[in-house]
mmCIF file of all heavy atoms in Angstrom:
data_model
loop_
_atom_site.group_PDB
_atom_site.id
_atom_site.type_symbol
_atom_site.label_atom_id
_atom_site.label_comp_id
_atom_site.label_asym_id
_atom_site.label_seq_id
_atom_site.Cartn_x
_atom_site.Cartn_y
_atom_site.Cartn_z
ATOM 1 N N TRP B 53 -55.455 21.781 -51.118
ATOM 2 C CA TRP B 53 -54.584 20.612 -50.903
ATOM 3 C C TRP B 53 -54.201 19.999 -52.251
ATOM 4 O O TRP B 53 -53.056 19.660 -52.492
ATOM 5 C CB TRP B 53 -55.287 19.520 -50.074
ATOM 6 C CG TRP B 53 -55.585 19.852 -48.659
ATOM 7 C CD1 TRP B 53 -56.829 19.939 -48.091
ATOM 8 C CD2 TRP B 53 -54.655 20.102 -47.583
ATOM 9 N NE1 TRP B 53 -56.727 20.241 -46.753
ATOM 10 C CE2 TRP B 53 -55.412 20.348 -46.418
ATOM 11 C CE3 TRP B 53 -53.269 20.153 -47.524
ATOM 12 C CZ2 TRP B 53 -54.817 20.622 -45.184
ATOM 13 C CZ3 TRP B 53 -52.675 20.432 -46.299
ATOM 14 C CH2 TRP B 53 -53.442 20.662 -45.149
ATOM 15 N N LYS B 54 -55.226 19.851 -53.103
ATOM 16 C CA LYS B 54 -54.975 19.245 -54.410
ATOM 17 C C LYS B 54 -54.059 20.129 -55.257
ATOM 18 O O LYS B 54 -53.151 19.645 -55.925
ATOM 19 C CB LYS B 54 -56.311 19.054 -55.130
ATOM 20 C CG LYS B 54 -56.187 18.228 -56.401
ATOM 21 C CD LYS B 54 -57.464 18.205 -57.210
ATOM 22 C CE LYS B 54 -57.190 17.548 -58.569
ATOM 23 N NZ LYS B 54 -55.953 17.977 -59.240
ATOM 24 N N LEU B 56 -51.903 22.343 -54.246
ATOM 25 C CA LEU B 56 -50.532 22.324 -53.721
ATOM 26 C C LEU B 56 -49.776 21.147 -54.326
ATOM 27 O O LEU B 56 -48.641 21.274 -54.792
ATOM 28 C CB LEU B 56 -50.538 22.203 -52.185
ATOM 29 C CG LEU B 56 -50.836 23.488 -51.402
ATOM 30 C CD1 LEU B 56 -51.151 23.173 -49.943
ATOM 31 C CD2 LEU B 56 -49.655 24.470 -51.488
ATOM 32 N N LYS B 57 -50.421 19.987 -54.303
ATOM 33 C CA LYS B 57 -49.782 18.797 -54.862
ATOM 34 C C LYS B 57 -49.498 18.986 -56.356
ATOM 35 O O LYS B 57 -48.381 18.748 -56.828
ATOM 36 C CB LYS B 57 -50.688 17.588 -54.637
ATOM 37 C CG LYS B 57 -50.144 16.283 -55.175
ATOM 38 C CD LYS B 57 -50.861 15.087 -54.558
ATOM 39 C CE LYS B 57 -50.228 13.778 -54.972
ATOM 40 N NZ LYS B 57 -50.840 13.171 -56.169
ATOM 41 N N LEU B 110 -62.107 8.416 -44.155
ATOM 42 C CA LEU B 110 -61.182 9.300 -43.442
ATOM 43 C C LEU B 110 -59.735 9.056 -43.859
ATOM 44 O O LEU B 110 -58.945 9.988 -43.988
ATOM 45 C CB LEU B 110 -61.343 9.115 -41.926
ATOM 46 C CG LEU B 110 -62.689 9.614 -41.387
ATOM 47 C CD1 LEU B 110 -62.926 9.117 -39.963
ATOM 48 C CD2 LEU B 110 -62.780 11.133 -41.449
ATOM 49 N N GLU B 111 -59.392 7.810 -44.060
ATOM 50 C CA GLU B 111 -58.027 7.496 -44.494
ATOM 51 C C GLU B 111 -57.728 8.163 -45.834
ATOM 52 O O GLU B 111 -56.647 8.695 -46.046
ATOM 53 C CB GLU B 111 -57.865 5.971 -44.614
ATOM 54 C CG GLU B 111 -56.419 5.538 -44.652
ATOM 55 C CD GLU B 111 -56.204 4.264 -45.439
ATOM 56 O OE1 GLU B 111 -57.119 3.838 -46.185
ATOM 57 O OE2 GLU B 111 -55.100 3.710 -45.334
ATOM 58 N N LYS B 112 -58.707 8.125 -46.713
ATOM 59 C CA LYS B 112 -58.525 8.770 -48.023
ATOM 60 C C LYS B 112 -58.375 10.278 -47.865
ATOM 61 O O LYS B 112 -57.560 10.898 -48.544
ATOM 62 C CB LYS B 112 -59.757 8.482 -48.894
ATOM 63 C CG LYS B 112 -59.456 7.635 -50.127
ATOM 64 C CD LYS B 112 -60.671 7.467 -51.000
ATOM 65 C CE LYS B 112 -60.481 8.183 -52.325
ATOM 66 N NZ LYS B 112 -59.716 7.389 -53.310
ATOM 67 N N LEU B 113 -59.158 10.826 -46.954
ATOM 68 C CA LEU B 113 -59.111 12.271 -46.719
ATOM 69 C C LEU B 113 -57.752 12.693 -46.144
ATOM 70 O O LEU B 113 -57.144 13.675 -46.593
ATOM 71 C CB LEU B 113 -60.243 12.633 -45.750
ATOM 72 C CG LEU B 113 -60.426 14.099 -45.375
ATOM 73 C CD1 LEU B 113 -60.656 14.954 -46.596
ATOM 74 C CD2 LEU B 113 -61.628 14.239 -44.418
ATOM 75 N N ILE B 114 -57.275 11.952 -45.174
ATOM 76 C CA ILE B 114 -55.963 12.272 -44.595
ATOM 77 C C ILE B 114 -54.874 12.153 -45.654
ATOM 78 O O ILE B 114 -53.992 13.001 -45.758
ATOM 79 C CB ILE B 114 -55.648 11.349 -43.392
ATOM 80 C CG1 ILE B 114 -56.716 11.494 -42.293
ATOM 81 C CG2 ILE B 114 -54.274 11.681 -42.814
ATOM 82 C CD1 ILE B 114 -56.626 10.436 -41.194
ATOM 83 N N THR B 115 -54.944 11.087 -46.440
ATOM 84 C CA THR B 115 -53.972 10.910 -47.516
ATOM 85 C C THR B 115 -53.978 12.112 -48.454
ATOM 86 O O THR B 115 -52.930 12.617 -48.862
ATOM 87 C CB THR B 115 -54.304 9.635 -48.329
ATOM 88 O OG1 THR B 115 -54.321 8.524 -47.441
ATOM 89 C CG2 THR B 115 -53.286 9.390 -49.426
ATOM 90 N N HIS B 116 -55.168 12.569 -48.789
ATOM 91 C CA HIS B 116 -55.305 13.724 -49.680
ATOM 92 C C HIS B 116 -54.566 14.940 -49.112
ATOM 93 O O HIS B 116 -53.819 15.617 -49.834
ATOM 94 C CB HIS B 116 -56.799 14.042 -49.856
ATOM 95 C CG HIS B 116 -57.082 15.204 -50.755
ATOM 96 N ND1 HIS B 116 -57.036 15.108 -52.126
ATOM 97 C CD2 HIS B 116 -57.419 16.495 -50.493
ATOM 98 C CE1 HIS B 116 -57.322 16.298 -52.661
ATOM 99 N NE2 HIS B 116 -57.563 17.146 -51.688
ATOM 100 N N CYS B 117 -54.754 15.198 -47.841
ATOM 101 C CA CYS B 117 -54.111 16.362 -47.218
ATOM 102 C C CYS B 117 -52.603 16.142 -47.080
ATOM 103 O O CYS B 117 -51.793 17.028 -47.366
ATOM 104 C CB CYS B 117 -54.721 16.641 -45.842
ATOM 105 S SG CYS B 117 -56.482 17.012 -45.908
ATOM 106 N N GLN B 118 -52.212 14.958 -46.602
ATOM 107 C CA GLN B 118 -50.775 14.658 -46.457
ATOM 108 C C GLN B 118 -50.053 14.834 -47.785
ATOM 109 O O GLN B 118 -48.944 15.369 -47.834
ATOM 110 C CB GLN B 118 -50.573 13.230 -45.947
ATOM 111 C CG GLN B 118 -50.885 13.032 -44.470
ATOM 112 C CD GLN B 118 -50.499 11.639 -43.957
ATOM 113 O OE1 GLN B 118 -50.154 10.760 -44.753
ATOM 114 N NE2 GLN B 118 -50.559 11.438 -42.645
ATOM 115 N N ASP B 119 -50.677 14.365 -48.866
ATOM 116 C CA ASP B 119 -50.028 14.445 -50.173
ATOM 117 C C ASP B 119 -49.791 15.883 -50.592
ATOM 118 O O ASP B 119 -48.780 16.196 -51.236
ATOM 119 C CB ASP B 119 -50.889 13.742 -51.237
ATOM 120 C CG ASP B 119 -50.813 12.237 -51.120
ATOM 121 O OD1 ASP B 119 -50.043 11.740 -50.275
ATOM 122 O OD2 ASP B 119 -51.518 11.534 -51.864
ATOM 123 N N GLY B 120 -50.720 16.764 -50.221
ATOM 124 C CA GLY B 120 -50.543 18.177 -50.543
ATOM 125 C C GLY B 120 -49.264 18.717 -49.939
ATOM 126 O O GLY B 120 -48.505 19.457 -50.586
ATOM 127 N N ILE B 121 -49.004 18.336 -48.719
ATOM 128 C CA ILE B 121 -47.839 18.875 -48.016
ATOM 129 C C ILE B 121 -46.563 18.125 -48.353
ATOM 130 O O ILE B 121 -45.500 18.714 -48.552
ATOM 131 C CB ILE B 121 -48.107 18.881 -46.501
ATOM 132 C CG1 ILE B 121 -49.011 20.079 -46.203
ATOM 133 C CG2 ILE B 121 -46.813 18.969 -45.707
ATOM 134 C CD1 ILE B 121 -49.460 20.205 -44.793
ATOM 135 N N THR B 122 -46.664 16.819 -48.448
ATOM 136 C CA THR B 122 -45.462 16.037 -48.764
ATOM 137 C C THR B 122 -44.923 16.393 -50.145
ATOM 138 O O THR B 122 -43.740 16.209 -50.422
ATOM 139 C CB THR B 122 -45.771 14.536 -48.633
ATOM 140 O OG1 THR B 122 -46.146 14.270 -47.282
ATOM 141 C CG2 THR B 122 -44.580 13.672 -48.975
ATOM 142 N N SER B 123 -45.778 16.938 -50.993
ATOM 143 C CA SER B 123 -45.318 17.312 -52.339
ATOM 144 C C SER B 123 -44.202 18.363 -52.275
ATOM 145 O O SER B 123 -43.366 18.422 -53.169
ATOM 146 C CB SER B 123 -46.484 17.831 -53.182
ATOM 147 O OG SER B 123 -46.940 19.077 -52.685
ATOM 148 N N LEU B 124 -44.167 19.163 -51.238
ATOM 149 C CA LEU B 124 -43.075 20.149 -51.110
ATOM 150 C C LEU B 124 -41.747 19.431 -50.880
ATOM 151 O O LEU B 124 -40.703 19.816 -51.410
ATOM 152 C CB LEU B 124 -43.316 21.102 -49.939
ATOM 153 C CG LEU B 124 -44.229 22.306 -50.167
ATOM 154 C CD1 LEU B 124 -45.694 21.889 -50.219
ATOM 155 C CD2 LEU B 124 -44.018 23.356 -49.104
ATOM 156 N N GLU B 125 -41.802 18.391 -50.060
ATOM 157 C CA GLU B 125 -40.596 17.641 -49.719
ATOM 158 C C GLU B 125 -40.115 16.818 -50.907
ATOM 159 O O GLU B 125 -38.909 16.603 -51.088
ATOM 160 C CB GLU B 125 -40.926 16.726 -48.538
ATOM 161 C CG GLU B 125 -39.741 16.209 -47.796
ATOM 162 C CD GLU B 125 -40.167 15.535 -46.496
ATOM 163 O OE1 GLU B 125 -40.445 14.313 -46.526
ATOM 164 O OE2 GLU B 125 -40.247 16.211 -45.464
ATOM 165 N N ARG B 126 -41.073 16.334 -51.706
ATOM 166 C CA ARG B 126 -40.715 15.486 -52.850
ATOM 167 C C ARG B 126 -40.250 16.291 -54.056
ATOM 168 O O ARG B 126 -39.655 15.738 -54.984
ATOM 169 C CB ARG B 126 -41.925 14.628 -53.248
ATOM 170 C CG ARG B 126 -42.268 13.615 -52.182
ATOM 171 C CD ARG B 126 -42.775 12.313 -52.763
ATOM 172 N NE ARG B 126 -43.016 11.379 -51.658
ATOM 173 C CZ ARG B 126 -44.192 10.810 -51.403
ATOM 174 N NH1 ARG B 126 -45.226 11.018 -52.205
ATOM 175 N NH2 ARG B 126 -44.328 9.982 -50.388
ATOM 176 N N ASP B 145 -47.673 22.831 -40.545
ATOM 177 C CA ASP B 145 -47.393 21.596 -41.298
ATOM 178 C C ASP B 145 -46.774 21.950 -42.645
ATOM 179 O O ASP B 145 -45.813 21.324 -43.082
ATOM 180 C CB ASP B 145 -48.696 20.817 -41.548
ATOM 181 C CG ASP B 145 -49.345 20.305 -40.274
ATOM 182 O OD1 ASP B 145 -48.957 19.226 -39.814
ATOM 183 O OD2 ASP B 145 -50.231 20.990 -39.739
ATOM 184 N N LEU B 146 -47.351 22.972 -43.282
ATOM 185 C CA LEU B 146 -46.914 23.349 -44.629
ATOM 186 C C LEU B 146 -45.467 23.865 -44.619
ATOM 187 O O LEU B 146 -44.631 23.395 -45.396
ATOM 188 C CB LEU B 146 -47.848 24.431 -45.177
ATOM 189 C CG LEU B 146 -47.579 24.924 -46.601
ATOM 190 C CD1 LEU B 146 -47.879 23.829 -47.615
ATOM 191 C CD2 LEU B 146 -48.424 26.164 -46.913
ATOM 192 N N ALA B 149 -42.442 21.577 -44.229
ATOM 193 C CA ALA B 149 -42.090 20.758 -45.392
ATOM 194 C C ALA B 149 -41.298 21.552 -46.424
ATOM 195 O O ALA B 149 -40.832 20.994 -47.412
ATOM 196 C CB ALA B 149 -43.345 20.160 -46.025
ATOM 197 N N ALA B 171 -55.012 15.091 -33.045
ATOM 198 C CA ALA B 171 -53.561 15.103 -33.186
ATOM 199 C C ALA B 171 -53.248 15.505 -34.620
ATOM 200 O O ALA B 171 -53.861 14.985 -35.557
ATOM 201 C CB ALA B 171 -52.988 13.727 -32.879
ATOM 202 N N ALA B 172 -52.326 16.443 -34.782
ATOM 203 C CA ALA B 172 -51.942 16.895 -36.127
ATOM 204 C C ALA B 172 -51.562 15.690 -36.973
ATOM 205 O O ALA B 172 -50.797 14.835 -36.523
ATOM 206 C CB ALA B 172 -50.755 17.855 -36.025
ATOM 207 N N ASP B 173 -52.089 15.613 -38.192
ATOM 208 C CA ASP B 173 -51.806 14.406 -38.987
ATOM 209 C C ASP B 173 -51.322 14.691 -40.392
ATOM 210 O O ASP B 173 -51.329 13.814 -41.235
ATOM 211 C CB ASP B 173 -53.022 13.475 -39.007
ATOM 212 C CG ASP B 173 -54.286 14.151 -39.503
ATOM 213 O OD1 ASP B 173 -54.193 15.268 -40.031
ATOM 214 O OD2 ASP B 173 -55.360 13.545 -39.358
ATOM 215 N N VAL B 174 -50.891 15.911 -40.634
ATOM 216 C CA VAL B 174 -50.342 16.170 -41.966
ATOM 217 C C VAL B 174 -48.894 16.655 -41.937
ATOM 218 O O VAL B 174 -48.417 17.220 -42.907
ATOM 219 C CB VAL B 174 -51.243 17.129 -42.779
ATOM 220 C CG1 VAL B 174 -52.582 16.446 -43.079
ATOM 221 C CG2 VAL B 174 -51.486 18.438 -42.063
ATOM 222 N N GLY B 175 -48.193 16.427 -40.836
ATOM 223 C CA GLY B 175 -46.759 16.647 -40.893
ATOM 224 C C GLY B 175 -46.069 17.342 -39.738
ATOM 225 O O GLY B 175 -44.888 17.106 -39.504
ATOM 226 N N THR B 176 -46.757 18.187 -39.012
ATOM 227 C CA THR B 176 -46.080 18.934 -37.950
ATOM 228 C C THR B 176 -45.403 18.013 -36.937
ATOM 229 O O THR B 176 -44.259 18.259 -36.534
ATOM 230 C CB THR B 176 -47.082 19.858 -37.223
ATOM 231 O OG1 THR B 176 -47.405 20.942 -38.098
ATOM 232 C CG2 THR B 176 -46.502 20.418 -35.938
ATOM 233 N N GLN B 178 -44.256 15.125 -37.309
ATOM 234 C CA GLN B 178 -43.102 14.446 -37.888
ATOM 235 C C GLN B 178 -41.967 15.450 -38.118
ATOM 236 O O GLN B 178 -40.824 15.197 -37.796
ATOM 237 C CB GLN B 178 -43.468 13.810 -39.246
ATOM 238 C CG GLN B 178 -44.300 12.551 -39.144
ATOM 239 C CD GLN B 178 -45.681 12.799 -38.578
ATOM 240 O OE1 GLN B 178 -46.387 13.695 -39.014
ATOM 241 N NE2 GLN B 178 -46.078 12.014 -37.569
ATOM 242 N N ARG B 179 -42.319 16.595 -38.741
ATOM 243 C CA ARG B 179 -41.261 17.471 -39.246
ATOM 244 C C ARG B 179 -40.805 18.564 -38.284
ATOM 245 O O ARG B 179 -39.636 18.941 -38.299
ATOM 246 C CB ARG B 179 -41.714 18.098 -40.565
ATOM 247 C CG ARG B 179 -41.889 17.064 -41.672
ATOM 248 C CD ARG B 179 -42.106 17.709 -43.028
ATOM 249 N NE ARG B 179 -42.338 16.673 -44.048
ATOM 250 C CZ ARG B 179 -43.526 16.300 -44.495
ATOM 251 N NH1 ARG B 179 -44.614 16.873 -44.025
ATOM 252 N NH2 ARG B 179 -43.630 15.353 -45.404
ATOM 253 N N SER C 246 -47.596 10.081 -31.547
ATOM 254 C CA SER C 246 -47.042 10.345 -32.871
ATOM 255 C C SER C 246 -45.664 11.010 -32.783
ATOM 256 O O SER C 246 -44.761 10.674 -33.559
ATOM 257 C CB SER C 246 -48.016 11.230 -33.658
ATOM 258 O OG SER C 246 -47.516 11.496 -34.946
ATOM 259 N N ASN C 255 -39.989 10.568 -42.439
ATOM 260 C CA ASN C 255 -41.292 11.216 -42.358
ATOM 261 C C ASN C 255 -42.432 10.360 -42.903
ATOM 262 O O ASN C 255 -43.521 10.345 -42.338
ATOM 263 C CB ASN C 255 -41.254 12.549 -43.120
ATOM 264 C CG ASN C 255 -40.350 13.550 -42.432
ATOM 265 O OD1 ASN C 255 -40.105 13.456 -41.237
ATOM 266 N ND2 ASN C 255 -39.842 14.503 -43.195
ATOM 267 N N GLU C 256 -42.193 9.638 -43.984
ATOM 268 C CA GLU C 256 -43.300 8.872 -44.559
ATOM 269 C C GLU C 256 -43.760 7.776 -43.599
ATOM 270 O O GLU C 256 -44.933 7.404 -43.593
ATOM 271 C CB GLU C 256 -42.950 8.290 -45.937
ATOM 272 C CG GLU C 256 -41.782 7.332 -45.982
ATOM 273 C CD GLU C 256 -40.466 8.031 -46.270
ATOM 274 O OE1 GLU C 256 -40.324 9.218 -45.920
ATOM 275 O OE2 GLU C 256 -39.576 7.380 -46.846
ATOM 276 N N VAL C 257 -42.843 7.274 -42.799
ATOM 277 C CA VAL C 257 -43.199 6.244 -41.819
ATOM 278 C C VAL C 257 -44.062 6.851 -40.711
ATOM 279 O O VAL C 257 -45.084 6.278 -40.304
ATOM 280 C CB VAL C 257 -41.920 5.600 -41.226
ATOM 281 C CG1 VAL C 257 -42.257 4.596 -40.133
ATOM 282 C CG2 VAL C 257 -41.115 4.920 -42.332
ATOM 283 N N GLY C 258 -43.668 8.017 -40.229
ATOM 284 C CA GLY C 258 -44.450 8.697 -39.201
ATOM 285 C C GLY C 258 -45.819 9.123 -39.711
ATOM 286 O O GLY C 258 -46.810 9.070 -38.981
ATOM 287 N N LEU C 259 -45.877 9.536 -40.967
ATOM 288 C CA LEU C 259 -47.157 9.977 -41.532
ATOM 289 C C LEU C 259 -48.119 8.804 -41.702
ATOM 290 O O LEU C 259 -49.325 8.941 -41.469
ATOM 291 C CB LEU C 259 -46.918 10.677 -42.881
ATOM 292 C CG LEU C 259 -46.298 12.078 -42.769
ATOM 293 C CD1 LEU C 259 -45.781 12.553 -44.128
ATOM 294 C CD2 LEU C 259 -47.321 13.080 -42.221
ATOM 295 N N GLU C 260 -47.606 7.666 -42.111
ATOM 296 C CA GLU C 260 -48.441 6.463 -42.235
ATOM 297 C C GLU C 260 -49.003 6.069 -40.865
ATOM 298 O O GLU C 260 -50.162 5.672 -40.742
ATOM 299 C CB GLU C 260 -47.585 5.318 -42.807
ATOM 300 C CG GLU C 260 -48.302 3.997 -43.007
ATOM 301 C CD GLU C 260 -49.361 4.022 -44.086
ATOM 302 O OE1 GLU C 260 -49.316 4.919 -44.948
ATOM 303 O OE2 GLU C 260 -50.266 3.162 -44.046
ATOM 304 N N HIS C 261 -48.168 6.185 -39.844
ATOM 305 C CA HIS C 261 -48.549 5.825 -38.482
ATOM 306 C C HIS C 261 -49.696 6.697 -37.968
ATOM 307 O O HIS C 261 -50.706 6.186 -37.478
ATOM 308 C CB HIS C 261 -47.315 5.980 -37.578
ATOM 309 C CG HIS C 261 -47.482 5.597 -36.150
ATOM 310 N ND1 HIS C 261 -47.630 6.528 -35.156
ATOM 311 C CD2 HIS C 261 -47.537 4.390 -35.535
ATOM 312 C CE1 HIS C 261 -47.754 5.917 -33.987
ATOM 313 N NE2 HIS C 261 -47.683 4.614 -34.189
ATOM 314 N N ILE C 262 -49.570 8.004 -38.106
ATOM 315 C CA ILE C 262 -50.626 8.886 -37.611
ATOM 316 C C ILE C 262 -51.893 8.736 -38.466
ATOM 317 O O ILE C 262 -53.009 8.906 -37.975
ATOM 318 C CB ILE C 262 -50.155 10.364 -37.532
ATOM 319 C CG1 ILE C 262 -51.204 11.241 -36.838
ATOM 320 C CG2 ILE C 262 -49.817 10.931 -38.885
ATOM 321 C CD1 ILE C 262 -51.448 10.931 -35.398
ATOM 322 N N LYS C 263 -51.729 8.373 -39.719
ATOM 323 C CA LYS C 263 -52.917 8.141 -40.567
ATOM 324 C C LYS C 263 -53.725 6.952 -40.053
ATOM 325 O O LYS C 263 -54.955 7.025 -39.974
ATOM 326 C CB LYS C 263 -52.480 7.914 -42.019
ATOM 327 C CG LYS C 263 -53.653 7.728 -42.977
ATOM 328 C CD LYS C 263 -53.264 8.004 -44.427
ATOM 329 C CE LYS C 263 -52.294 6.969 -44.949
ATOM 330 N NZ LYS C 263 -51.971 7.182 -46.366
ATOM 331 N N LEU C 264 -53.028 5.882 -39.708
ATOM 332 C CA LEU C 264 -53.733 4.713 -39.164
ATOM 333 C C LEU C 264 -54.440 5.073 -37.857
ATOM 334 O O LEU C 264 -55.555 4.618 -37.596
ATOM 335 C CB LEU C 264 -52.753 3.562 -38.921
ATOM 336 C CG LEU C 264 -52.224 2.866 -40.170
ATOM 337 C CD1 LEU C 264 -51.273 1.735 -39.778
ATOM 338 C CD2 LEU C 264 -53.346 2.307 -41.022
ATOM 339 N N ILE C 265 -53.792 5.878 -37.036
ATOM 340 C CA ILE C 265 -54.408 6.288 -35.769
ATOM 341 C C ILE C 265 -55.632 7.165 -36.036
ATOM 342 O O ILE C 265 -56.720 6.927 -35.514
ATOM 343 C CB ILE C 265 -53.374 7.053 -34.904
ATOM 344 C CG1 ILE C 265 -52.308 6.084 -34.398
ATOM 345 C CG2 ILE C 265 -54.057 7.754 -33.735
ATOM 346 C CD1 ILE C 265 -51.136 6.757 -33.695
ATOM 347 N N ASN C 266 -55.457 8.157 -36.879
ATOM 348 C CA ASN C 266 -56.531 9.129 -37.038
ATOM 349 C C ASN C 266 -57.716 8.639 -37.862
ATOM 350 O O ASN C 266 -58.792 9.217 -37.778
ATOM 351 C CB ASN C 266 -55.973 10.440 -37.601
ATOM 352 C CG ASN C 266 -55.572 11.392 -36.490
ATOM 353 O OD1 ASN C 266 -55.593 11.011 -35.318
ATOM 354 N ND2 ASN C 266 -55.216 12.620 -36.828
#
Side-chain angles (χ1 to χ4, degrees):
Chain B
W53 293 117
K54 189 188 171 316
L56 281 166
K57 180 163 186 267
L110 292 167
E111 197 209 14
K112 245 184 113 83
L113 182 58
I114 301 169
T115 303
H116 180 78
C117 299
Q118 285 187 351
D119 285 356
I121 282 176
T122 298
S123 68
L124 277 75
E125 198 169 89
R126 293 215 177 122
D145 295 275
L146 182 68
D173 55 11
V174 294
T176 288
Q178 285 66 49
R179 295 190 183 99
Chain C
S246 180
N255 293 336
E256 60 268 28
V257 176
L259 287 166
E260 180 67 20
H261 183 257
I262 188 65
K263 183 159 67 177
L264 288 181
I265 290 172
N266 269 7

